[in-house]
Amino acid sequence: MLDKKQIKRGFVFLVVILFVFALFFIFLNKRISAQEQQQSFCCEKTTAGNWCQPSPPAECASGFRKAPTSCESTSYCKLGTCVNVNTGQCTGNTPQIVCQNSGGVWFDKKEDEIPQCKRGCCFIGQNTAFVNQIRCKTLASDYGTNTTFRPDINSESECILSANPDVEGACVLEKGFERSCKRTTRSECISLEKKSSSDTKVQFHEGLLCTAEVLATQCAPTSKTTCVENKDEVYFIDSCGNIANVYDSSKVNNQEYWTYIKDPAESCNPDSSNANSASCGNCNYLLGSLCKAYRRNDPQTPVKPSYGDFVCADLSCKYQGKTYQHGERWCGTTGTKGNENSPGSEHAVFACYSGEVTVTLCDPFRNTVCIEEEVVPGFKSAGCVANRWDDCVLQTSKQDCENRDVRDCKWVEGQSILKDDSGNPLVVNERGELVERKKDDTRKGASCLPLYPPGFNFWEEGNADELCAIASDTCLVKFQKGLLGDWECKENCECLGLKKGDSIKKATTNNKWFAEKMNMCISLGDCGEKLNYLGQKGFINRSIVRWSEDYKG
Amino acid sequence: MRNFLKRGGSFFKKGQVAIFIIIAILAVGAILSIYFLNRSARTTERFEETNPQTFIQNCIEESLNNAIETISLQGGSANPEGYLEYKGYKIEYACYTAEDFKTCVVQKPFLQSHIENEIKKEIEEEFNFCFNQLVRNYEDRGYNVNFKKGNLNVRLVPKRIIVNTTNEITVTKGNTQTFKDFEIVVNSNLYELVWIANSILEFEASLGDADPTIYMDIFRWIKVEKISREREGVVYIITDRRSGDKFQFASRSLEWSPGHEASRIAIY
């Protein structure tokens, strides 16, 4: 039988156990909660309003599903093709829930595996479009015209080449003594005939202009000009408002020029842009000109046309004192001159189109860089490409290092980042390969470094220090002091710009070893002693020389 | 006399100030009256009994244009969700991923339909107001009016935006006339701009990036700008140089984190 004391002791013991257990339970719960916060969930919708994103659970919007797994593993966020059965639009990479919310039908297939999305050639008027059949019908409705769909045409280029514009000519309408005329296609003329009254005779004359004398219409040549939609050139118009041929001041009274329809290739200066030409309106967008109304103070139209009010506007650009052609692209940077790859700088592609320069930045931190090429003499092309710097320092031969098919690196002779097992820097042999240094080896080293130093997010916690530390080095310089005299350099003297036996007082960091090391450091990325993209100094720690405790000055 | 003028001079000066103030108040009042009278006169003038279509067009046009502009500058939505901020606008993401080195997940698979719905939602209230106003105008002129509410539909087509409704109004004053199938048309190149946006969206979703210059190579009147918003993605701005019509949207795809591959480097 237990006495009161024992019962009391037992009770206290039980309470303590329960208390400890409770504390443990609370702690475990918090830990699980903290882990849960770190774990990525698939949120059907995030609090920011985006659908199907991997996020911490706290960022999942309430009232929507979430799962502790990747979005691809869920049914609602799995990516597939979304089809709009009304318009025929097929969009890939779309989550199921987004598709359903948009009123589409979702398929767990790629676009080209879905019959409704299969593309063919859609003939819309005189143009073509490489779309699926439903989309072709929608386009017919949008453009208010008939279409024909050819599923047998399987490529876009084939579709474009298949476009067969209807023949053009003069559609003459004769009613009584009146002979009016309209420049149309044959099919449009047939439509006009159907709409005309029974006493109107309609005849189509292929290849002729309404001003052809043989047609004896009421339309006469004029010296007026105009621009035509979807065409680059300046055109004459006749007195009925019909488009005639390309403006050529030498042909304004030429009967033959006002008789037959001429292709722009048969008109004045077909191989030139004719920008700022007063006499020829044969503009060409690809060569840098386009029909535009002449305005006295417009820099694109500095020359008044001899006839009419329209000219070929010059689409080239003037930028920082240089002239760039329409369509030309060149590289630039946000960094000031000399600081193109400095901390904060980004590469950019400048483009000239229609007299205006647009700037597109490459990715930040120089993850992509701008590459420029002169495709034809005097005409540059440029674009952002990946900065493939990541395995530069691992290269052990000049040939591999400078292989631009695989990486963007440069081979710098002098010091080696790579070392052997004993920690000695490697040296370069006669074949340009890094090898182990032998005893009394006077060969120099080399390093393979990024051609475009990448940027680092060094102001936040990350691996910037680790990356820059690749080029860190310690040089132990030994000095010896005799009974009399000064400290004299004995070993590794070049690290302080000294020779063996030189006094410590001559030590300086302004030496070749230091310069080579610093060059390696700054080439790795946003490391070392650098100015930023605006040319401003960073915070430099100049304590790069540490004196051992033996040295008393 | 001089003393009188001296003593009364200050009085006259105060009087001058008062006169000028009164004149100014009268002038402002006159201008405001002319403005408001003119406005109401214009409203009255626009209503033609035989052409209610014109009345509806004039009534809704301003709201419609405002809705089009707002929606075009906000990535296709009147009230953007999931957006980035640029130059004071909330620009919705058409394609988005929170992860780095991954192509984006499409947020707006049918941009054109979405925009059409958004415009419809934005103008619905004003549209109903205009029809109520039309009914009242007929009633004020002694007509018996029978109004049947139908559907409202917005369509983006090449070079235009068409708003049509199957609302039906039957007015009787001796004769009976029925007006239905009202159609409001505004000039806009939004259809063409959205077509290009869809193409860019396809590139962003499949390849992670789009080159804006290819569209300027093909389309004479189009300007495409790509504005990088560090770590937030990019904003595409598509402008028709002739009309100034603009459509802009955001995308976050294949974003690279800084120093991304360096962890692979193992020197020792």
Side-chain angles (χ1 to χ4, degrees):
Chain A
M1 193 68 175
L2 294 168
D3 62 8
K4 272 187 184 171
K5 244 187 189 169
Q6 282 174 323
I7 294 169
K8 212 177 177 177
R9 225 180 276 155
F11 180 73
V12 167
F13 184 68
L14 187 66
V15 165
V16 166
I17 295 287
L18 280 172
F19 182 67
V20 166
F21 182 70
L23 274 175
F24 177 73
F25 182 75
I26 291 166
F27 169 73
L28 191 68
N29 216 21
K30 266 198 174 152
R31 197 146 175 240
I32 290 169
S33 192
Q35 277 178 349
E36 225 181 47
Q37 289 302 318
Q38 285 173 13
Q39 194 182 5
S40 188
F41 273 51
C42 174
C43 303
E44 187 183 15
K45 193 174 182 184
T46 64
T47 49
N50 295 307
W51 293 90
C52 295
Q53 301 295 321
S55 301
E59 287 179 25
C60 297
S62 57
F64 293 91
R65 289 169 283 190
K66 65 184 179 201
T69 181
S70 71
C71 284
E72 266 304 293
S73 306
T74 63
S75 57
Y76 48 90
C77 281
K78 193 168 185 212
L79 297 180
T81 303
C82 189
V83 181
N84 185 324
V85 294
N86 295 321
T87 65
Q89 193 174 350
C90 296
T91 310
N93 252 52
T94 310
Q96 189 176 32
I97 185 65
V98 171
C99 185
Q100 283 168 359
N101 289 348
S102 303
V105 176
W106 186 83
F107 292 87
D108 186 8
K109 285 179 187 172
K110 286 204 168 76
E111 191 180 324
D112 50 14
E113 294 167 5
I114 303 167
Q116 296 96 309
C117 298
K118 194 170 184 304
R119 295 189 191 206
C121 197
C122 180
F123 292 82
I124 319 158
Q126 302 211 47
N127 297 308
T128 55
F130 190 60
V131 294
N132 61 53
Q133 190 163 15
I134 304 172
R135 189 97 186 103
C136 188
K137 287 185 187 154
T138 313
L139 287 172
S141 166
D142 288 346
Y143 283 93
T145 183
N146 293 325
T147 56
T148 311
F149 184 72
R150 290 265 309 269
D152 55 302
I153 296 174
N154 295 320
S155 77
E156 190 154 14
S157 48
E158 205 185 326
C159 184
I160 292 167
L161 290 170
S162 303
N164 191 12
D166 200 0
V167 288
E168 278 191 274
C171 188
V172 179
L173 297 96
E174 189 175 355
K175 191 176 179 178
F177 295 109
E178 207 178 285
R179 282 174 70 83
S180 60
C181 182
K182 213 169 172 242
R183 178 173 166 170
T184 63
T185 60
R186 188 189 294 278
S187 48
E188 280 170 7
C189 194
I190 293 168
S191 302
L192 269 176
E193 190 176 17
K194 286 178 184 161
K195 288 178 196 165
S196 305
S197 54
S198 50
D199 58 345
T200 305
K201 247 197 308 191
V202 180
Q203 251 188 330
F204 181 74
H205 301 272
E206 185 180 325
L208 287 182
L209 292 169
C210 288
T211 46
E213 277 193 357
V214 67
L215 298 177
T217 68
Q218 61 200 34
C219 304
T222 71
S223 60
K224 290 188 187 157
T225 58
T226 190
C227 296
V228 177
E229 197 163 337
N230 299 327
K231 288 192 192 287
D232 299 343
E233 305 86 0
V234 181
Y235 284 86
F236 278 121
I237 42 174
D238 66 23
S239 59
C240 300
N242 296 307
I243 306 299
N245 284 321
V246 170
Y247 164 62
D248 182 350
S249 62
S250 65
K251 303 267 172 71
V252 66
N253 296 314
N254 185 308
Q255 191 182 322
E256 201 254 354
Y257 201 63
W258 284 94
T259 303
Y260 298 103
I261 293 175
K262 294 225 183 281
D263 195 80
E266 298 172 82
S267 305
C268 52
N269 302 334
D271 301 322
S272 170
S273 72
N274 296 300
N276 302 324
S277 170
S279 58
C280 179
N282 204 352
C283 322
N284 190 321
Y285 181 73
L286 295 175
L287 295 179
S289 67
L290 198 58
C291 180
K292 195 179 177 186
Y294 164 74
R295 294 220 200 293
R296 206 188 308 174
N297 297 321
D298 186 345
Q300 286 189 327
T301 60
V303 177
K304 191 179 188 316
S306 305
Y307 296 95
D309 300 315
F310 295 84
V311 283
C312 292
D314 182 3
L315 304 180
S316 65
C317 310
K318 280 197 174 43
Y319 185 76
Q320 291 187 343
K322 285 190 191 166
T323 301
Y324 295 92
Q325 293 180 56
H326 166 79
E328 198 171 350
R329 286 175 275 181
W330 65 100
C331 289
T333 172
T334 56
T336 51
K337 199 174 177 181
N339 297 307
E340 290 86 0
N341 294 306
S342 306
S345 72
E346 288 171 3
H347 286 213
V349 176
F350 289 70
C352 169
Y353 280 93
S354 300
E356 207 175 322
V357 175
T358 55
V359 183
T360 304
L361 288 176
C362 297
D363 285 310
F365 301 103
R366 296 182 295 285
N367 281 320
T368 56
V369 292
C370 184
I371 303 293
E372 190 180 279
E373 207 179 41
E374 211 164 86
V375 289
V376 294
F379 190 90
K380 293 191 198 115
S381 188
C384 296
V385 298
N387 184 3
R388 301 164 302 174
W389 61 269
D390 40 286
D391 67 352
C392 288
V393 294
L394 298 174
Q395 302 313 307
T396 54
S397 76
K398 187 178 179 187
Q399 192 180 6
D400 287 341
C401 177
E402 292 178 345
N403 183 359
R404 292 301 298 273
D405 290 337
V406 179
R407 57 185 66 85
D408 301 310
C409 312
K410 61 183 180 191
W411 186 252
V412 177
E413 286 179 355
Q415 303 276 347
S416 286
I417 282 180
L418 294 177
K419 296 181 167 80
D420 60 23
D421 294 337
S422 312
N424 297 316
L426 301 179
V427 293
V428 184
N429 67 11
E430 55 285 343
R431 288 193 300 275
E433 296 160 342
L434 285 171
V435 295
E436 282 187 21
R437 190 167 185 268
K438 289 184 184 132
K439 200 180 172 185
D440 299 327
D441 198 332
T442 55
R443 291 177 296 185
K444 290 197 174 152
S447 294
C448 185
L449 300 168
L451 189 57
Y452 308 102
F456 300 143
N457 196 357
F458 53 81
W459 56 92
E460 281 176 10
E461 226 178 276
N463 57 4
D465 285 344
E466 191 187 308
L467 292 163
C468 294
I470 291 166
S472 289
D473 202 355
T474 306
C475 182
L476 186 63
V477 183
K478 287 184 182 167
F479 291 85
Q480 195 177 38
K481 188 176 180 198
L483 213 57
L484 303 163
D486 209 345
W487 290 94
E488 285 175 1
C489 187
K490 291 292 171 201
E491 217 173 283
N492 295 328
C493 305
E494 69 279 2
C495 296
L496 282 173
L498 302 170
K499 288 194 196 105
K500 228 175 182 170
D502 277 351
S503 163
I504 197 171
K505 291 190 176 108
K506 289 185 188 172
T508 174
T509 53
N510 190 11
N511 61 66
K512 192 179 170 200
W513 179 90
F514 187 84
E516 282 174 351
K517 284 290 178 184
M518 183 56 79
N519 185 43
M520 258 171 28
C521 180
I522 61 175
S523 295
L524 276 182
D526 286 347
C527 309
E529 201 173 298
K530 263 185 171 178
L531 301 176
N532 71 6
Y533 75 111
L534 292 172
Q536 288 167 346
K537 272 187 181 175
F539 297 100
I540 309 294
N541 182 2
R542 272 272 172 206
S543 307
I544 44 96
V545 178
R546 272 183 286 146
W547 302 99
S548 75
E549 287 174 11
D550 293 344
Y551 179 64
K552 287 172 175 70
Chain B
M1 182 67 177
R2 213 181 278 167
N3 285 340
F4 173 73
L5 283 171
K6 261 192 195 168
R7 268 198 308 258
S10 62
F11 173 78
F12 282 135
K13 276 184 193 167
K14 282 181 192 167
Q16 277 177 1
V17 169
I19 287 169
F20 280 128
I21 290 171
I22 292 166
I23 290 170
I25 291 170
L26 286 172
V28 168
I31 290 165
L32 286 171
S33 307
I34 292 166
Y35 175 72
F36 283 114
L37 280 170
N38 201 26
R39 207 171 163 197
S40 64
R42 262 188 279 143
T43 314
T44 316
E45 275 166 16
R46 270 187 227 141
F47 178 61
E48 293 169 34
E49 292 168 20
T50 53
N51 194 358
Q53 161 75 37
T54 309
F55 174 80
I56 295 294
Q57 170 104 23
N58 291 334
C59 181
I60 197 66
E61 204 163 345
E62 194 180 329
S63 296
L64 177 59
N65 284 325
N66 288 341
I68 291 165
E69 189 178 345
T70 303
I71 287 164
S72 298
L73 296 178
Q74 291 186 164
S77 292
N79 296 301
E81 282 187 326
Y83 57 85
L84 62 75
E85 287 202 38
Y86 174 68
K87 287 196 174 176
Y89 292 105
K90 291 179 183 173
I91 304 177
E92 204 166 59
Y93 285 104
C95 198
Y96 181 85
T97 177
E99 295 177 287
D100 290 339
F101 317 121
K102 289 237 171 112
T103 51
C104 57
V105 169
V106 173
Q107 306 288 301
K108 295 273 177 294
F110 310 130
L111 207 46
Q112 181 177 321
S113 313
H114 175 76
I115 291 169
E116 287 167 349
N117 279 334
E118 288 288 295
I119 294 173
K120 179 184 161 181
K121 279 192 286 187
E122 278 301 282
I123 63 169
E124 205 154 8
E125 202 181 308
E126 184 73 13
F127 210 74
N128 292 336
F129 169 80
C130 289
F131 268 92
N132 289 340
Q133 190 72 16
L134 179 66
V135 167
R136 261 202 296 278
N137 283 342
Y138 274 113
E139 284 172 348
D140 288 347
R141 278 163 172 70
Y143 282 86
N144 279 330
V145 184
N146 184 17
F147 173 58
K148 230 189 277 181
K149 196 169 188 310
N151 297 322
L152 177 63
N153 196 32
V154 175
R155 271 186 71 210
L156 266 56
V157 294
K159 295 181 204 161
R160 296 166 299 157
I161 294 176
I162 301 175
V163 177
N164 58 29
T165 176
T166 52
N167 283 356
E168 200 175 292
I169 284 189
T170 305
V171 296
T172 310
K173 192 178 173 181
N175 295 332
T176 299
Q177 288 180 91
T178 301
F179 302 101
K180 57 182 178 180
D181 296 331
F182 291 82
E183 195 174 85
I184 291 90
V185 180
V186 293
N187 292 329
S188 171
N189 288 328
L190 192 54
Y191 176 91
E192 289 84 354
L193 301 180
V194 169
W195 190 92
I196 292 173
N198 273 324
S199 173
I200 292 172
L201 189 56
E202 247 182 80
F203 276 108
E204 284 278 318
S206 56
L207 300 174
D209 197 18
D211 182 357
T213 57
I214 54 170
Y215 303 98
M216 293 192 278
D217 282 331
I218 301 167
F219 300 106
R220 275 87 172 114
W221 300 106
I222 291 296
K223 179 168 81 170
V224 180
E225 297 167 276
K226 183 176 168 183
I227 314 292
S228 177
R229 304 293 295 162
E230 195 179 303
R231 307 295 289 141
E232 283 185 294
V234 293
V235 173
Y236 284 98
I237 306 174
I238 308 160
T239 310
D240 184 315
R241 290 179 202 272
R242 296 167 300 184
S243 61
D245 289 341
K246 202 181 272 200
F247 180 74
Q248 55 191 29
F249 68 96
S251 173
R252 189 180 192 278
S253 190
L254 213 59
E255 280 290 317
W256 297 25
S257 56
H260 64 103
E261 289 288 1
S263 54
R264 293 202 296 116
I265 298 174
I267 299 293
Y268 300 108

